[in-house]
Amino acid sequence: MALIVQKYGGTSMGTPERILNVSRRVKRWHDHGHQVVVVVSAMSGETNRLIGLAKAISETPDPRELDQMLATGEQVTIAMLAMSLKSIGLNAKSYTGGQVVIRTDSSFNKARIQSIDESAVRKDLDAGSVVIVAGFQGIDDDGNVTTLGRGGSDTTGVAMAAALKADECQIYTDVDGVYTTDPRVAPKAKKLDRITFEEMLEMASLGSKVLQIRSVEFAGKYQVPLRVLSSFDNENDGAYDDDFKHNVGTLITTESETTMEQPIISGIAFNRDEAKLIVRGVPDQPGIASRILSPVGDANIEIDMIVQNVAADGTTDFTFTVNRSDYKKTLDLMQQIGRDVGAREVTGDDTIVKVSIVGVGMRSHAGVASQMFRTLGAEGINIQMISTSEIKISVVVNEKYLELAVRALHTAFELDRVTGESRAQA
Amino acid sequence: MALIVQKYGGTSMGTPERILNVSRRVKRWHDHGHQVVVVVSAMSGETNRLIGLAKAISETPDPRELDQMLATGEQVTIAMLAMSLKSIGLNAKSYTGGQVVIRTDSSFNKARIQSIDESAVRKDLDAGSVVIVAGFQGIDDDGNVTTLGRGGSDTTGVAMAAALKADECQIYTDVDGVYTTDPRVAPKAKKLDRITFEEMLEMASLGSKVLQIRSVEFAGKYQVPLRVLSSFDNENDGAYDDDFKHNVGTLITTESETTMEQPIISGIAFNRDEAKLIVRGVPDQPGIASRILSPVGDANIEIDMIVQNVAADGTTDFTFTVNRSDYKKTLDLMQQIGRDVGAREVTGDDTIVKVSIVGVGMRSHAGVASQMFRTLGAEGINIQMISTSEIKISVVVNEKYLELAVRALHTAFELDRVTGESRAQA
């Protein structure tokens, strides 16, 4: 018997019929003798409908009141799922974030979980009930309702799993796991049976949409086994055996549990929403980086990669990337700052993309970077920027090379050959 | 400076524009220096939409989970109103029933308020904030969300006013007060400036839809001055002076505060949703009433009037009325019971109505009943049943006489001459 936390998103909660489907899945797990906690999102579209109502009242709705309002989306779906489970013969009880209690700080709209009192939930589980918890929400010390921000239901799922020391937190999605890269770009992309928290974090921050970064961070911090799996597949329901543990979906886990036969890199991520700014010929003085880049942060523009080169003539060049939607605004800002600091030239380019290889294997394998650059060079792809971390290498290239670069790297790093079977046996 | 509790229904909360109208009214009261607590219902249609979702899951949704769900309707409107008030420059804070705390018993879907902790609300009021409270909901000792049943927002308004010892609880509606009778039936109907709790209770239970019975009971019990007034009239906003207190809307108050010139009766109520059942020739034995009537209650059918006559032959006849929608079901049940108890005949009639005169004045005036019967007789209206209480007399007549009876009684008891002006001066 295991304690399983399952998280279902808004699409799975979208209609009474789909909620009944979720109920049947929960029942199959429960019938196998497992204790089940279900964390749910609002019905798809509901959060946006509520935001629309708020915006009709005020362009900048009061943050506390917005959370008071948004939290109702999940309060409706937890009740619907509990009704549905009862209608097929299970004991079930719904909990809002406040009822659990999921205690957060008071940062409305983007609150962070501080503690969870799991005692009431555990009592219900021990009495044979399925417990349903509203995702995305909590309560602060003063009893105000808070929300965790977009994607916060994943975080609630992981946090509940951590508090309950669950055997596994299962995130049900419309894909059957994490892939070596996006199959729409590289048809040879393969599902990964396992990936480390660190790799998953890099994949998420580099553009993979499967999991929210915060939930992966949380899972890593509290060592919660986290599995991404398909909400369309039923055949493995409840069979929490070795075969399930090794093959179903993708398990995000600690490095020590991955195999010896770990490939050098686990996946290739990319991000099309990039634009770069170049400030050339700036006097190379202490504090110049701050004078150029601080105003960007002050304008609430997030900077991604930053590269600085010093020229022989005592000047320096800065290149950095921002989200493509911030490009025009950033370029205007830079042209003004460029004049202030005496830059020779300010230019930009919003036809670039970022391609990254990710893998804990590169820690112990030399030459990964040079193999990446050699592969891209062989395809005639010019590299415009490079940024590295311990387990990832990112390059900026012209957007026209995106698919070519991803496929070439996928083949070069032998990801075409990764299969669920081979990795499971390793 | 007064402390005013205002209650707005679902129509007033129906759109962002209407919510802005409510905000402006609240601001006018606040600008006059009054402390204002606003109790609101869900947006019109929202509670039915949620019930529809629940019914799509299960024909008999779990009561706890239904309340968990239904309470979200008001949680959305309190947040919207708070946002709206803030957008026009007021400090405002919304409270769910649980946040107040409004403590109820655990009778889901029809919970009763047990206590209110008004301290947090009072603190906000004293700090200059407008406080917005979700109607219709509370929380039980175990932290479960409860709802008070249909019309429960009026009860929340009165209960908050009682807990805060408010100067007045104002119920904003689509009519400008309580009338001597329904103006659609008797065009000479007049608005009453004042009516006692007891009279209002009788009016409500006899079919007047202006206020929920429970809220009037509550107001009477805790001596909360309760005023029904129009949400379309703005000119008196904030002017809580003698002129306002005597003339605006209808004040429901204690008998001692009504005037010497109190007319004998205050109003005429009627109810079209009536049907009667007659069980004739039953052996007149101890316990026979219970044998006939208990199965009706057991079938969840509410009995209104009951009349019993004993005949000379040792048998007895029972006549009672039920809601017209229960007529067929009750008739079927009675035919079976009639056979069991050896009744001579079971018949019924669903073409009847009930007409009632209400007034505390009849306590001190003899001959009110006979004047009523004489008036109806003069119009050729046959009386089928009579039921009396200390301050009301009800008769059952054929439905075709409804308008005639109401108008004749309205004239006979001099209600045609009641006017706001004359009564205000009295």
Side-chain angles (χ1 to χ4, degrees), chain A residues 16 49 54 56-57 61-62 64-66 68-69 72 75-76 78-80 82-84 86 93-94 96 99 143 145, chain B residues 16 49 54 56-57 61-62 64-66 68-69 72 75-76 79-80 82-84 86 93-94 96 99 143 145:
Chain A
R49 183 185 78 88
I57 297 275
D62 181 74
R64 176 191 184 272
E65 301 300 338
L66 187 60
Q68 181 90 286
M69 186 183 211
T72 63
Q75 192 169 332
V76 169
I78 55 172
M80 289 177 79
M83 290 171 189
S84 185
K86 290 206 151 194
K93 189 170 162 190
S94 73
T96 62
Q99 285 171 335
V145 175
Chain B
R49 183 184 77 89
I57 297 275
D62 181 75
R64 175 191 184 272
E65 301 301 337
L66 188 60
Q68 181 89 288
M69 186 183 211
T72 64
Q75 192 169 331
V76 169
M80 289 177 80
M83 290 172 189
S84 185
K86 291 206 150 194
K93 189 170 163 191
S94 73
T96 62
Q99 285 171 334
V145 174

Side-chain angles (χ1 to χ4, degrees), chain B residues 126-144:
Chain B
D126 289 345
S129 270
V130 172
V131 169
I132 303 147
V133 175
F136 176 67
Q137 61 180 250
I139 193 169
D140 74 4
D141 285 336
D142 297 322
N144 298 306

Side-chain angles (χ1 to χ4, degrees), chain A residues 114-397:
Chain A
Q114 292 183 324
S115 65
I116 292 181
D117 179 353
E118 86 294 355
S119 55
V121 168
R122 186 168 319 264
K123 205 170 139 196
D124 279 342
L125 288 174
D126 289 344
S129 271
V130 173
V131 169
I132 303 147
V133 175
F136 176 67
Q137 61 181 249
I139 193 169
D140 74 4
D141 285 337
D142 297 322
N144 299 305
V145 175
T146 57
T147 70
L148 310 179
R150 288 271 169 178
S153 292
D154 286 355
T155 305
T156 304
V158 172
M160 285 304 303
L164 290 162
K165 298 182 179 37
D167 293 279
E168 190 167 295
C169 178
Q170 302 177 341
I171 310 282
Y172 286 86
T173 69
D174 55 358
V175 295
D176 65 346
V178 179
Y179 274 67
T180 50
T181 192
D182 187 337
R184 286 167 300 187
V185 168
K188 289 180 181 166
K190 295 286 185 297
K191 180 182 81 91
L192 294 163
D193 292 329
R194 292 185 167 222
I195 188 171
T196 67
F197 292 115
E198 296 92 330
E199 288 169 329
M200 193 64 223
L201 264 184
E202 293 282 5
M203 296 286 273
S205 62
L206 293 170
S208 166
K209 302 281 193 299
V210 179
L211 280 176
Q212 282 298 115
I213 292 177
R214 274 174 66 193
S215 63
V216 180
E217 280 176 357
F218 215 104
K221 185 171 172 190
Y222 292 98
Q223 306 272 304
V224 175
L226 183 62
R227 188 182 302 271
V228 174
L229 65 180
S230 167
S231 56
F232 301 114
D233 169 29
N234 294 327
E235 60 186 296
N236 298 298
D237 284 349
Y240 191 61
D241 52 16
D242 279 357
D243 193 49
F244 179 95
K245 291 179 191 171
H246 290 303
N247 290 308
V248 176
T250 299
L251 183 68
I252 297 111
T253 183
T254 53
E255 204 168 332
S256 57
E257 288 180 35
T258 54
T259 64
M260 298 283 290
E261 296 294 329
Q262 183 74 18
I264 298 168
I265 76 162
S266 292
I268 299 169
F270 55 86
N271 189 351
R272 300 178 201 267
D273 294 331
E274 299 266 333
K276 76 171 176 183
L277 288 300
I278 308 148
V279 187
R280 288 207 178 82
V282 181
D284 187 20
Q285 299 159 349
I288 188 71
S290 166
R291 282 183 68 196
I292 290 175
L293 297 174
S294 295
V296 182
D298 294 346
N300 257 324
I301 297 164
E302 204 169 327
I303 298 174
D304 182 11
M305 295 166 74
I306 304 172
V307 171
Q308 181 184 10
N309 294 316
V310 179
D313 63 357
T315 67
T316 184
D317 300 343
F318 285 93
T319 309
F320 61 93
T321 62
V322 296
N323 192 293
R324 204 174 278 187
S325 63
D326 290 327
Y327 177 63
K328 283 294 291 176
K329 190 173 160 194
T330 315
L331 189 59
D332 289 350
L333 187 64
M334 274 301 113
Q335 272 158 350
Q336 186 191 314
I337 293 165
R339 281 191 295 275
D340 295 351
V341 300
R344 192 168 61 238
E345 185 189 34
V346 172
T347 59
D349 183 357
D350 64 348
T351 64
I352 57 147
V353 293
K354 182 170 67 171
V355 176
S356 311
I357 60 173
V358 175
V360 292
M362 60 177 87
R363 284 194 191 122
S364 50
H365 283 75
V368 176
S370 61
Q371 185 179 353
M372 182 184 194
F373 305 151
R374 195 165 57 242
T375 302
L376 295 174
E379 299 291 344
I381 300 170
N382 185 42
I383 299 171
Q384 303 183 16
M385 289 174 80
I386 298 170
S387 163
T388 63
S389 80
E390 202 188 1
I391 63 164
K392 79 130 209 251
I393 306 168
S394 297
V395 297
V396 165
V397 299

